[in-house]
Every structure is written in C-alpha cells, then in structure tokens.
C-alpha cells in the first residue's frame, strides 16, 4: 500500500492514508467497550420498575414506613421509680395486649426484684398468658406456652431409685468402712 503524503500535494509531511493494521487493537477495544455499554444500558432498562408512585407515608409521616391500623391504648398507668426505687406500670391496648410489672430494690446490693406478666391473643384466637418473677433466686417464667419435658419412662425411674438406695447404703457404711492405706505401713 502506498502512502500518499500531503507533501506531494501541498508541501507538508502529513500522510493522507493511514496504515489501519496498526490501529486494529484500538478498534477492538472500542468495539468491546461499546458492547459493554449497550449491555449495561439493557440491564438498567430491565431493572427499572414498571411503574412509579410516590413512597407511602406511614408512621408519623416518614416515607416508606407502614405501621398498619392505629390501635388505641386503653390503659396506661405508670408509677415511679420513686426515691427508694419502687416502680410499677400497666398498659392495655385495643387489640387485647396487656402488660404489667412491679419492682423494688431488695437486699444489701439494691438489686431490683420484679414480677409481672403479659398476655395477648394469637391470630387463631387462642390466648397467651405469661408471668414471671425475677429476684435473687433468678428469672422464672410460668406459662402454658413453655415446652415441658416428656415424663420419664418407668425403667428410668426404677434406675434412679436404685441409685438412690445404693447411695444411702454407701453413706450408712461410710462410718464402718476405712479406706485402704496408701502408705503400706510406713508413716
């Protein structure tokens, strides 16, 4: 391929025909970038929502939050904590949720012992009642909803009774029984 320069035409050294084989890598790069751009454009178009609506305002007018129907508070009584640390509260909502608790400091450390409970109704209509006590003996919960262990089978009860009898017999013999000597006659 002959390169005709502009010197031939106007006296300058600028070529008029280029060697395109030197520019092929640049052309491949440009084509691949164009393909990536088109793929990104198609992906953005596919991910766009089918419709647009303003975000719903819900809880206190905050966009995007939905709190559901407003449930009235039927009862809300709160007392304390007073100077000695005694407190109590009780509330009830319009959909049947109830919560109550009382507490007071106890012992030299002033740890608060409390008792209370809550109740509500499951969507199927069954009631849920939970009560608790938290004091120096720990946290104890009472409810029919808590899982309970299966009763022990008869053979397990018999084994436990046998172990109790053996322990009692060993304790009775402990006064008459002396352990073997470990010194073998040496002091």
């Amino acid at each position: 391929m002959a390169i005709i320069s502009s010197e031939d035409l106007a006296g300058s050294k600028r070529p008029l025909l280029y060697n395109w084989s030197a520019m092929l890598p640049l052309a491949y790069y440009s084509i691949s970038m164009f393909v990536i751009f088109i793929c990104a454009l198609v992906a953005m178009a596919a991910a766009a929502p089918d419709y647009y609506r303003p975000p719903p305002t819900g809880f206190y007018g905050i966009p995007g939050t939905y709190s559901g129907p407003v449930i009235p508070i039927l009862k809300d009584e709160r007392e304390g904590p007073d100077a000695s640390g005694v407190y109590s509260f009780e509330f009830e909502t319009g959909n049947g949720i109830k919560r109550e608790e009382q507490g007071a400091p106890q012992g030299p450390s002033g740890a608060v012992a409390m008792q209370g409970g809550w109740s509500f109704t499951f969507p199927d209509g069954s009631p849920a009642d939970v009560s608790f006590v938290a004091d120096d003996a720990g946290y104890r919960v009472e409810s029919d909803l808590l899982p309970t262990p299966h009763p022990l089978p008869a053979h397990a009860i018999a084994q436990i009774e046998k172990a109790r009898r053996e322990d009692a017999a060993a304790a009775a013999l402990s006064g008459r029984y002396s352990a073997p000597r470990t010194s073998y006659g040496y002091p």
Side-chain angles (χ1 to χ4, degrees):
M1 168 188 288
I3 298 179
I4 303 171
S5 67
S6 59
E7 179 182 42
D8 299 335
L9 301 175
S12 78
K13 295 279 184 187
R14 190 171 47 125
L16 295 177
L17 297 176
Y18 295 101
N19 185 358
W20 290 104
S21 63
M23 297 186 66
L24 279 179
L26 182 60
Y28 287 133
Y29 176 74
S30 297
I31 291 172
S32 61
M33 287 303 291
F34 179 73
V35 169
I36 290 172
F37 175 74
I38 294 298
C39 289
L41 192 62
V42 168
M44 287 180 6
D50 293 337
Y51 61 92
Y52 177 78
R53 63 181 163 92
T57 58
F59 188 68
Y60 291 111
I62 299 171
T65 60
Y66 177 70
S67 62
V70 176
I71 299 170
I73 303 294
L74 303 177
K75 183 178 191 179
D76 188 0
E77 297 177 0
R78 300 166 190 259
E79 295 179 19
D82 59 14
S84 63
V86 176
Y87 75 94
S88 68
F89 69 85
E90 181 177 2
F91 72 84
E92 181 178 352
T93 64
N95 61 354
I97 297 173
K98 296 177 184 175
R99 172 81 166 90
E100 52 95 16
E101 184 176 316
Q102 305 85 32
Q106 287 186 347
S109 67
V112 176
M114 58 187 77
Q115 65 182 13
W118 59 90
S119 64
F120 60 93
T121 303
F122 284 107
D124 66 356
S126 60
D129 292 314
V130 179
S131 62
F132 71 91
V133 174
D135 55 14
D136 55 353
Y139 182 75
R140 298 174 306 281
V141 180
E142 293 181 12
S143 175
D144 293 337
L145 301 172
L146 296 175
T148 56
H150 295 287
L152 290 175
H155 71 278
I157 294 172
Q159 190 69 25
I160 292 170
E161 182 59 30
K162 179 183 177 204
R164 188 194 60 74
R165 285 193 309 266
E166 288 174 353
D167 287 345
L173 291 176
S174 66
R176 295 183 287 167
Y177 177 74
S178 61
R181 294 184 177 175
T182 58
S183 64
Y184 297 104
Y186 298 106

